């Protein structure tokens, strides 16, 4: 095997490996029929490449009356294949082999029956050494009414290394040949030869006109550079020219590889329809931080995280008044409506209460909108099949998403009855100031009663409280206690506002963290798996193109 042939096979092997990867990644994104054809090509290529590379399989194909079998006998120099005039007589494929060594397994793979195998291995082969390695097949007529022969012709046309179409001057434009085979083999010029047989029936001008017409017809059907040979199997005219073309093909030992490459090229064009344009940028392999944050923000809005955080901040501030506010203000506030009601929280407060009981309501429509926005941002430039794949991945668990979000956030739901420790300390401090204020008032009353108005003598041991001289100091103390209580209430309010903001931030951070985790496992991971699949398909397509 030549260096060029070895390199060609290595390149073909890489492309076949890429096609195998495409078949693996393609279900659901590529038409099943196309995947089936790709799988069949992989099997056929694997089988052919394992068999003899020193032999070239050339199939003579044609319709009834084209003289195909006569041409087969003329090339082989023997009467090997029966010929007929009115009906097809080749019911089974006949094979003539130049150089039988190593050809047996290949003939078995071609399913050529033993009684229809013939070898050129005698003195008759002198002068035909250039054809050594040729396996020439005479196929059944492709337009036969026999289903068996029709199927066999189709099968061998698909797997032969080189196909020689034998056409006659009267039916060279026959639709059954061109529609079923020639158009489908466009791009296979290197492994397709067209023989205009029975040239003896035409004069020189008529033959030239037929060749020109056939050439134009083939070019219109996609065969860019058709190889046309004119022959007459009866007179032998042009047969040596055909042998020379076959000899050149056989000597290069590349027809099998070229046939597989042509089949790969045809599949590549069809597979490329599910890929973006060549100048399109490669798709992302992962979801960037900006889209992750955007998805988390959208899901947080769907669950109502900002509203819950705001409500909790208001509730925190309102409830603090029961603990750290000025006691006198609190007592007076009892005569007014509930301060929570004044916040007009309405259903939101009920929702917060519901949180403590393990219930959160995520809006399914908003959740679906959030994941849809992610899919739309990732699928720009993709083929519709892959766009649908990304969308399906984003929605793969969307029906469970609202419930999971609700369960996850219920675990971090705040308690309305939670009281920070410093609130309790301030409450003790405020009531201590109240006691001091009450004690001061009692002192002032005692001093006025006994020291100013002389209502009598104070009880024994309490004379100091009845001294009128203590009134200025006691009054100062009372006002100081009141001022200290007021300052404490004002300072506490500032700390409460700060604490409420911190509580809200902590709650929203934790809820966002939980939402982000749910989004990662239920939306982002499935989407990234699909993106990875798409990128691998994209890379395999580049490998298939070579």
């Amino acid at each position: 095997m030549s260096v060029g042939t070895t390199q060609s096979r290595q390149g073909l092997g890489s492309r076949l490996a890429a096609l195998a990867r495409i078949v693996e990644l393609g279900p659901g994104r590529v038409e099943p029929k196309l995947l089936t054809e790709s799988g069949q090509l992989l099997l056929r290529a694997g089988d052919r490449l394992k068999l003899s590379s020193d032999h070239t399989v050339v199939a003579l194909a044609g319709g009834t009356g084209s003289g195909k079998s006569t041409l087969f006998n003329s090339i082989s120099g023997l009467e090997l294949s029966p010929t007929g005039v009115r009906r097809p007589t080749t019911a089974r494929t006949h094979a003539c082999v130049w150089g039988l060594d190593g050809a047996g397994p290949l003939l078995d793979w071609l399913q050529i029956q033993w009684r229809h195998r013939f070898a050129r291995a005698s003195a008759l082969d002198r002068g035909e050494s250039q054809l050594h390695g040729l396996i020439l097949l005479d196929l059944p007529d492709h337009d036969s009414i026999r289903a068996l022969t029709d199927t066999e012709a189709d099968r061998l046309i698909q797997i032969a290394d080189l196909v020689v179409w034998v056409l006659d001057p009267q039916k060279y434009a026959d639709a059954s040949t061109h529609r079923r085979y020639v158009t489908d083999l466009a791009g296979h010029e290197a492994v397709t030869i067209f023989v205009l047989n029975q040239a003896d029936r035409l004069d020189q001008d008529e033959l030239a006109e037929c060749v020109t017409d056939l050439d134009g017809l083939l070019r219109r059907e996609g065969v860019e550079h058709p190889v046309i040979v004119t022959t007459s199997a009866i007179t032998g005219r042009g047969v040596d020219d055909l042998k020379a073309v076959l000899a050149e093909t056989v000597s290069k030992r590349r027809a099998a590889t070229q046939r597989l490459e042509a089949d790969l090229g045809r599949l590549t064009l069809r597979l490329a329809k599910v890929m973006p344009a060549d100048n399109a940028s490669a798709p992302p392999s992962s979801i960037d931080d900006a889209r992750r944050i955007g998805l988390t923000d959208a899901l947080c809005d769907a669950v109502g995280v900002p509203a819950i955080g705001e409500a909790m901040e208001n509730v925190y501030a309102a409830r603090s008044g029961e603990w750290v506010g000025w006691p006198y203000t609190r007592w007076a506030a009892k005569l007014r409506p509930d301060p929570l009601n004044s916040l007009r929280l309405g259903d939101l407060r009920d929702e917060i209460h519901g949180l403590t009981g393990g219930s959160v309501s995520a809006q399914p429509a908003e959740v679906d909108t959030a994941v849809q926005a992610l899919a739309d941002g990732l699928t720009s430039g993709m083929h519709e099949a892959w766009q649908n794949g990304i969308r399906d991945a984003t929605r793969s668990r969307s029906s469970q998403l609202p419930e999971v979000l609700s369960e996850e956030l219920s675990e971090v739901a705040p308690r309305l009855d939670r009281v920070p420790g410093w609130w309790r300390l301030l409450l003790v401090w405020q009531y201590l100031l109240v006691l001091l204020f009450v004690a001061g008032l009692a002192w002032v009353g005692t001093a006025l009663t006994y020291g100013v108005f002389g209502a009598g003598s104070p009880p024994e041991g309490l004379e100091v409280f009845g001294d009128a001289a203590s009134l200025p100091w006691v009054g100062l103390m009372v006002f100081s206690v009141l001022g200290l209580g007021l300052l404490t209430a004002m300072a506490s309010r500032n700390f409460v506002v700060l604490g409420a903001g911190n509580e809200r931030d902590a709650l929203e951070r934790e809820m966002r963290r939980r939402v982000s985790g749910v989004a990662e496992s239920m939306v982002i991971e499935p989407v990234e798996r699909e993106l990875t699949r798409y990128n691998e398909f994209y890379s395999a397509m580049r490998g298939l193109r070579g």
Side-chain angles (χ1 to χ4, degrees):
M1 188 183 297
S2 67
V3 175
T5 302
T6 301
Q7 292 176 342
S8 178
R9 286 205 166 203
Q10 290 175 346
L12 177 61
S14 298
R15 295 182 67 192
L16 289 172
L19 180 62
R21 188 63 177 144
I22 288 170
V23 171
E24 181 182 350
L25 297 169
R29 306 292 174 264
V30 180
E31 293 180 6
K33 180 181 178 181
L34 187 52
L35 288 179
T36 300
E37 291 181 19
S38 300
Q40 291 172 346
L41 175 58
L42 287 171
L43 292 175
R44 184 167 73 249
D47 290 341
R48 182 63 185 93
L49 293 175
K50 287 187 295 186
L51 297 170
S52 175
S53 60
D54 293 329
H55 288 83
T56 301
V57 179
V58 177
L60 295 182
T64 304
S66 62
K68 172 173 52 61
S69 295
T70 304
L71 184 61
F72 175 81
N73 293 333
S74 180
I75 295 172
S76 64
L78 300 170
E79 290 294 327
L80 302 178
S81 188
T83 60
V85 177
R86 296 185 178 180
R87 61 185 179 87
T89 57
T90 308
R92 292 290 183 181
T93 300
H94 293 69
C96 184
V97 183
W98 282 256
L100 195 57
D101 292 342
L106 182 54
L107 290 169
D108 291 340
W109 179 67
L110 293 170
Q111 300 178 24
I112 307 300
Q113 296 178 1
W114 279 95
R115 64 177 181 273
H116 296 147
R117 300 180 185 182
F118 307 94
R120 292 299 304 264
S122 67
L124 294 173
D125 294 335
R126 292 175 181 175
E128 293 190 356
S129 60
Q130 72 274 18
L131 293 179
H132 183 81
L134 171 64
I135 297 179
L136 185 64
L137 305 180
D138 179 20
L139 304 186
D141 300 330
H142 70 78
D143 55 358
S144 169
I145 61 174
R146 300 177 184 178
L148 175 62
T149 58
D150 223 15
T151 300
E152 183 168 354
D154 287 345
R155 178 179 61 82
L156 290 171
I157 288 171
Q158 292 296 322
I159 65 177
D161 300 335
L162 183 144
V163 178
V164 177
W165 286 100
V166 182
L167 309 171
D168 68 84
Q170 293 180 337
K171 297 193 298 181
Y172 65 84
D174 182 55
S176 66
T177 298
H178 291 265
R179 184 176 64 250
R180 291 178 57 189
Y181 301 104
V182 177
T183 302
D184 193 47
L185 291 176
H188 288 62
E189 291 91 342
V191 289
T192 306
I193 298 173
F194 298 91
V195 173
L196 189 60
N197 196 26
Q198 302 175 2
D200 56 293
R201 295 184 178 182
L202 304 174
D203 59 32
Q204 195 67 27
D205 293 337
E206 290 174 336
L207 182 61
E209 183 179 352
C210 284
V211 170
T212 301
D213 187 53
L214 176 59
D215 181 83
L217 176 62
L218 293 173
R219 290 178 184 274
R220 288 193 298 273
E221 290 177 338
V223 183
E224 294 183 0
H225 304 289
V227 177
I228 301 175
V229 180
T230 60
T231 64
S232 172
I234 295 178
T235 66
R237 173 184 175 184
V239 174
D240 288 339
D241 294 337
L242 178 58
K243 283 185 177 181
V245 174
L246 295 180
E248 182 182 5
T249 300
V250 170
S251 65
K252 292 180 179 179
R253 302 289 192 267
R254 291 196 65 241
T257 302
Q258 288 178 320
R259 172 60 193 266
L260 294 174
E261 288 175 342
D263 290 341
L264 276 175
R266 182 170 59 88
L267 275 176
T268 300
L269 292 176
R270 297 168 65 190
L271 287 167
K273 294 178 181 179
V274 296
M275 295 301 297
D278 292 337
N279 58 356
S281 59
S285 58
S286 61
I287 298 177
D288 57 84
D289 291 340
R291 287 192 173 93
R292 290 172 186 266
I293 294 173
L295 176 62
T296 299
D297 288 342
L299 291 178
C300 284
D301 290 338
V303 178
V305 169
I308 293 174
E310 181 181 0
M312 282 308 305
E313 182 179 20
N314 291 333
V315 170
Y316 185 99
R319 291 197 67 250
S320 67
E322 302 174 5
W323 293 84
V324 301
W326 209 15
Y328 313 107
T329 304
R330 292 202 303 272
W331 296 333
K334 290 183 178 180
L335 303 176
R336 299 196 303 269
D338 186 347
L340 291 181
N341 292 335
S342 67
L343 293 174
R344 298 181 180 178
L345 296 177
D347 294 337
L348 190 55
R349 183 183 181 189
D350 294 336
E351 183 173 353
I352 297 171
H353 277 291
L355 281 171
T356 63
S359 174
V360 166
S361 176
Q363 302 300 320
E366 295 185 20
V367 170
D368 187 67
T369 300
V371 298
Q372 179 65 41
L374 176 67
D376 291 343
L378 293 169
T379 55
S380 176
M382 287 186 182
H383 184 272
E384 183 180 358
W386 289 101
Q387 288 181 347
N388 293 336
I390 296 295
R391 293 189 182 103
D392 291 342
T394 59
R395 297 195 188 100
S396 60
R397 302 183 66 184
S398 60
S399 61
Q400 308 167 12
L401 193 54
E403 180 180 355
V404 173
L405 285 171
S406 299
E407 293 175 354
E408 190 73 18
L409 296 184
S410 294
E411 296 180 5
V412 297
R415 291 176 52 193
L416 289 178
D417 57 352
R418 186 179 63 84
V419 178
W422 68 276
W423 286 14
R424 299 182 186 276
L425 291 177
L426 277 175
L427 182 64
V428 172
W429 169 250
Q430 290 283 22
Y431 276 107
L432 178 60
L433 292 178
V434 170
L435 290 176
L436 289 176
F437 178 71
V438 172
L441 289 180
W443 194 335
V444 169
T446 302
L448 288 174
T449 301
Y450 295 106
V452 176
F453 300 112
S457 298
E460 185 177 354
L462 299 178
E463 291 84 359
V464 66
F465 296 104
D467 187 359
S470 64
L471 279 174
W473 301 104
V474 175
L476 179 61
M477 181 193 71
V478 170
F479 283 109
S480 296
V481 167
L482 287 174
L484 186 58
L486 181 60
L487 289 175
T488 299
M490 294 174 62
S492 299
R493 176 57 58 185
N494 292 332
F495 282 113
V496 164
V497 172
L498 180 62
N502 292 336
E503 287 280 329
R504 174 181 180 175
D505 292 342
L507 173 64
E508 290 188 359
R509 279 197 305 271
E510 180 61 17
M511 295 181 82
R512 281 185 61 85
R513 187 184 70 81
R514 296 290 184 111
V515 170
S516 178
V518 171
E520 182 73 24
S521 62
M522 299 187 68
V523 179
I524 292 177
E525 288 181 3
V527 171
E528 288 191 334
R529 284 195 296 269
E530 186 67 17
L531 287 174
T532 298
R533 177 185 175 187
Y534 180 71
N535 274 274
E536 291 178 358
F537 187 93
Y538 192 89
S539 298
M541 279 298 301
R542 290 199 299 268
L544 181 62
R545 290 168 176 165

